[in-house]
Amino acid sequence: MALRRGRGYASVNYPTGMNLGGDPSQALVHATTMGAFVVTLSSVDLGQGITTVARQCAAETLGVPVESVIVDTADTDTGPHCMGTFASRGTHRVGNAVIMAANEARAVMLQVAADELETDAEDLETDGTGYIVVKGAAQRRIHVSDVALAAHFAQGRTISGRGIYLKERNYPDPETGEMDPDSCQAHACTVADVVVDDETGVVEVVSLHNTYEVGRTINPGLATQQVEGGAWMGVSHALFESCEPGYPASRDHGPTSFSDYLMPGPADCPTQVSVLLERPAGTGPFGAKGIGEMTANAPIPAIANAIYDAVGVRLTVMPFTPESVLRGLDALREPR
């Protein structure tokens, strides 16, 4: 009896968004009297960081510090339309809508600034620190807060913008079957190292190495946490979670609370190394793709392949329990 080590690989590609009867999201942007910018969305942040990404997209487009941007997720009664937080669509759909709205607001902001500086809007640029300056004459400048004050109290103008990104519904070509069901696809590969106890059947995931091609990484910290948090879920699916073990024949032994619903604890979490690759998508906000859901996928078959590499047992039903490993080992020992 021994501890056996194995390594498994798995790769995945995953679509961004859906091919419903259209897949739109809207955004509104407006300046306050003091020059902050409010982004209004109905998109829900489930912890994946869409509010941070929306702030970054707005700030980059407007040319102002990210600290000057406030994101208000409102609700579905009062906010602009959003199809929802699903299908790994948030960054792609919402980011594009925010950029469109911010561009419209930026055009008004520059025109107000041009009137104050007595120049043409085409001759102005933002410096990213909160000032609008005349190109080639940086000493001629005006702060965004002064522009907002002028817009509200001198010129009677609203610095605002509207944006909507729509992925139109696409139908297959009747001759070839070719179609465009999504906006772009992200790609990933996970390498899993495991240790399998061939006496008890216990599987330990020692490490995961993740490589994700994400288009453009708008926020590397959030993207890395998305990858590694999703990988934790993959380990949980692979080795622990079994919400209805007897379904559909019987539901008698399903867990009734989180106290008896198995998930990995701190001692079960593997070491992770994650690398983000950039290959910008033509349709994405600054080239970004969606990676939300796919991060739980690749670890599962990688762990299954690693178990096979360690002890020769091919498991196809989750979770990969000690019992299933031992049954597989027994089957290998049976005379053929």
Side-chain angles (χ1 to χ4, degrees), residues 6-206:
R7 172 170 290 177
Y9 302 76
S11 59
V12 62
N13 70 303
Y14 205 85
T16 296
M18 299 181 67
N19 188 39
L20 299 171
D23 188 13
S25 281
Q26 293 177 312
L28 303 174
V29 173
H30 77 272
T32 68
T33 56
M34 293 304 295
F37 285 86
V38 179
V39 179
T40 305
L41 306 170
S42 289
S43 308
V44 177
D45 196 325
L46 303 176
Q48 79 279 23
I50 187 61
T51 53
T52 300
V53 168
R55 287 182 74 197
Q56 290 182 259
C57 288
E60 182 72 17
T61 306
L62 291 162
V64 300
V66 70
E67 295 81 10
S68 300
V69 179
I70 303 164
V71 176
D72 176 13
T73 53
D75 59 44
T76 53
D77 285 330
T78 60
H81 174 75
C82 180
M83 287 292 287
T85 301
F86 57 88
S88 303
R89 64 186 296 282
T91 292
H92 189 277
R93 301 295 193 264
V94 176
N96 276 320
V98 168
I99 290 171
M100 184 182 297
N103 270 321
E104 188 172 285
R106 175 184 171 89
V108 180
M109 177 181 70
L110 291 181
Q111 186 56 60
V112 173
D115 292 344
E116 293 300 302
L117 293 171
E118 298 182 346
T119 186
D120 294 325
E122 294 77 12
D123 295 330
L124 298 178
E125 61 185 0
T126 50
D127 69 357
T129 70
Y131 283 94
I132 299 171
V133 301
V134 177
K135 298 175 183 177
Q139 72 278 8
R140 294 187 60 197
R141 64 180 189 172
I142 184 171
H143 199 273
V144 171
S145 60
D146 294 319
V147 174
L149 287 168
H152 282 86
F153 298 107
Q155 298 186 23
R157 304 185 68 175
T158 300
I159 299 177
S160 63
R162 304 154 297 169
I164 180 170
Y165 183 84
L166 170 64
K167 170 62 173 73
E168 296 182 358
R169 185 174 184 179
N170 189 263
Y171 295 88
D173 184 292
E175 299 296 327
T176 66
E178 181 181 0
M179 67 180 302
D180 178 25
D182 50 48
S183 300
C184 53
Q185 296 196 359
H187 307 84
C189 179
T190 292
V191 180
D193 289 302
V194 306
V195 173
V196 182
D197 188 324
D198 64 5
E199 182 176 9
T200 65
V202 172
V203 177
E204 178 188 359
V205 182
V206 177

Side-chain angles (χ1 to χ4, degrees), residues 238-252:
L239 300 182
F240 294 90
E241 295 187 52
S242 182
C243 57
E244 295 287 352
Y247 184 85
S250 170
R251 304 186 69 180
D252 294 340

Side-chain angles (χ1 to χ4, degrees), residues 12-18 46 48 84-90 186 188 212 226-227 229-234 237 289-300:
V12 62
N13 70 303
Y14 205 85
T16 296
M18 299 181 67
L46 303 176
Q48 79 279 23
T85 301
F86 57 88
S88 303
R89 64 186 296 282
Y212 277 74
Q226 186 89 55
V227 168
W232 176 90
M233 295 176 66
H237 289 318
K289 301 177 180 180
I291 64 166
E293 293 164 318
M294 70 183 295
T295 55
N297 293 1
I300 299 171

